[in-house]
Amino acid sequence: MQSPLFGLAETQSQDRYVVQNPQLLRVALTGQDDVLARKGAMVAYQGLIDFDGEYQSQGQRRARANTGEGLDLMRCSGQGTVYFANLAQYVHVVDVDQEGMTVDSAYVLALDSTLHTEVIAVDSQYGISGSGKYQLNISGRGKIALMTSGQPLMMHVTPDKYVNVDADAIVAWSSALRVQMQAQTHSSGVRRRRGNTGEGWELSFLGQGFALVQPSEVMPPQNAAIGQGAGAQFGVGQQGAHAQNQNNVWNNGR
């Protein structure tokens, strides 16, 4: 049998995390450090690998219930190689250090079990109840694999150059940055998108660091039931900042 497909064999590397191709992640397990991955993200593996549901503490379950933000993870342990993917999203590996990183859980594919996650709140400049946005703060030392719809843009934030990003397009940012959620230029328009432009909530970043932006405001479905197609819910675009905040603001104003 002959085919150009045979040129797409697995990548040979000594690195723990390897982007096999733009949409497929390869992780090597040596029996020492486990990797946590999005449930159902394994597409293939070699070796002796165990897959178990990851335990969530009472505090994590409470935070998930109150904010809707959190990670549904499985723990992968053993010796071998595991391949992860999710809806053919583009995969990017990031080294997390002391600076830390804040990320939307919808964009996490896998991470080292040594990293710590905590739900944090991003407040609205208007102080309207329920109009904030919840994210995950990642701290410690290790690697995390993020997903984006298309090739993303890395924007550098400096003290003399702040950055504004659509709340439905932001993927991650440096935890050291000061961030505020804002809508229109005047509070009377907070219940609708900015005039007739279709633009709504945005995040304003100040300080020194980075902001990672994807070229899409709608993530493909994250929690669609297996065998039911792409029906259930859509990541940040439909279930995220804009949709939730618009509903909360509307309900609070009634």
Side-chain angles (χ1 to χ4, degrees), residues 82-151:
V82 190
Y83 294 88
F84 298 108
N86 186 65
L87 298 167
Q89 296 294 289
Y90 284 79
V91 179
H92 316 274
V93 178
V94 179
D95 283 302
V96 180
D97 53 22
Q98 293 179 343
E99 182 182 6
M101 180 176 64
T102 302
V103 62
D104 191 305
S105 62
Y107 303 113
V108 176
L109 178 62
L111 71 159
D112 282 334
S113 60
T114 54
L115 291 174
H116 176 71
T117 63
E118 181 184 12
V119 177
I120 62 172
V122 178
D123 294 327
S124 163
Q125 68 174 9
Y126 300 110
I128 299 175
S129 175
S131 65
K133 180 177 175 67
Y134 292 97
Q135 303 284 351
L136 285 177
N137 190 60
I138 310 292
S139 59
R141 288 185 177 274
K143 293 182 182 292
I144 182 172
L146 302 177
M147 306 176 294
T148 62
S149 293
Q151 293 286 9

Side-chain angles (χ1 to χ4, degrees), residues 86-87 218-224 229-235:
N86 186 65
L87 298 167
V218 179
M219 185 81 168
Q222 294 298 310
N223 298 319
Q233 79 181 39
F234 290 80

Side-chain angles (χ1 to χ4, degrees), residues 21-237:
N21 64 48
Q23 296 154 307
L24 189 64
L25 175 69
R26 174 183 185 269
V27 179
L29 295 176
T30 62
Q32 297 180 348
D33 296 324
D34 298 343
V35 64
L36 303 177
R38 177 178 294 275
K39 285 184 178 180
M42 183 274 292
V43 295
Y45 73 93
Q46 295 174 315
L48 300 175
I49 309 293
D50 291 325
F51 300 92
D52 294 306
E54 175 64 2
Y55 169 77
Q56 288 188 332
S57 66
Q58 184 176 357
Q60 289 174 321
R61 293 194 297 270
R62 187 184 307 113
R64 182 69 177 271
N66 292 336
T67 68
E69 188 72 19
L71 290 171
D72 288 323
L73 298 172
M74 60 181 177
R75 179 175 290 267
C76 310
S77 58
Q79 291 183 309
T81 304
V82 190
Y83 294 88
F84 298 108
N86 186 65
L87 298 167
Q89 296 294 289
Y90 284 79
V91 179
H92 316 274
V93 178
V94 179
D95 283 302
V96 180
D97 53 22
Q98 293 179 343
E99 182 182 6
M101 180 176 64
T102 302
V103 62
D104 191 305
S105 62
Y107 303 113
V108 176
L109 178 62
L111 71 159
D112 282 334
S113 60
T114 54
L115 291 174
H116 176 71
T117 63
E118 181 184 12
V119 177
I120 62 172
V122 178
D123 294 327
S124 163
Q125 68 174 9
Y126 300 110
I128 299 175
S129 175
S131 65
K133 180 177 175 67
Y134 292 97
Q135 303 284 351
L136 285 177
N137 190 60
I138 310 292
S139 59
R141 288 185 177 274
K143 293 182 182 292
I144 182 172
L146 302 177
M147 306 176 294
T148 62
S149 293
Q151 293 286 9
L153 170 67
M154 180 69 80
M155 303 191 70
H156 291 278
V157 183
T158 62
D160 59 346
K161 181 183 177 182
Y162 63 87
V163 172
N164 293 320
V165 178
D166 189 298
D168 287 337
I170 187 69
V171 175
W173 66 84
S174 302
S175 295
L177 290 176
R178 300 191 307 277
V179 56
Q180 187 174 60
M181 197 166 188
Q182 58 188 15
Q184 289 75 12
T185 55
H186 54 87
S187 59
S188 63
V190 74
R191 289 183 176 81
R192 63 179 185 275
R193 286 186 174 248
R194 183 177 295 155
N196 60 359
T197 66
E199 298 298 335
W201 292 96
E202 61 188 35
L203 298 182
S204 180
F205 298 98
L206 300 91
Q208 186 80 40
F210 71 87
L212 184 64
V213 185
Q214 68 173 359
S216 171
E217 296 184 13
V218 179
M219 185 81 168
Q222 294 298 310
N223 298 319
I226 296 176
Q228 310 243 341
Q233 79 181 39
F234 290 80
V236 182

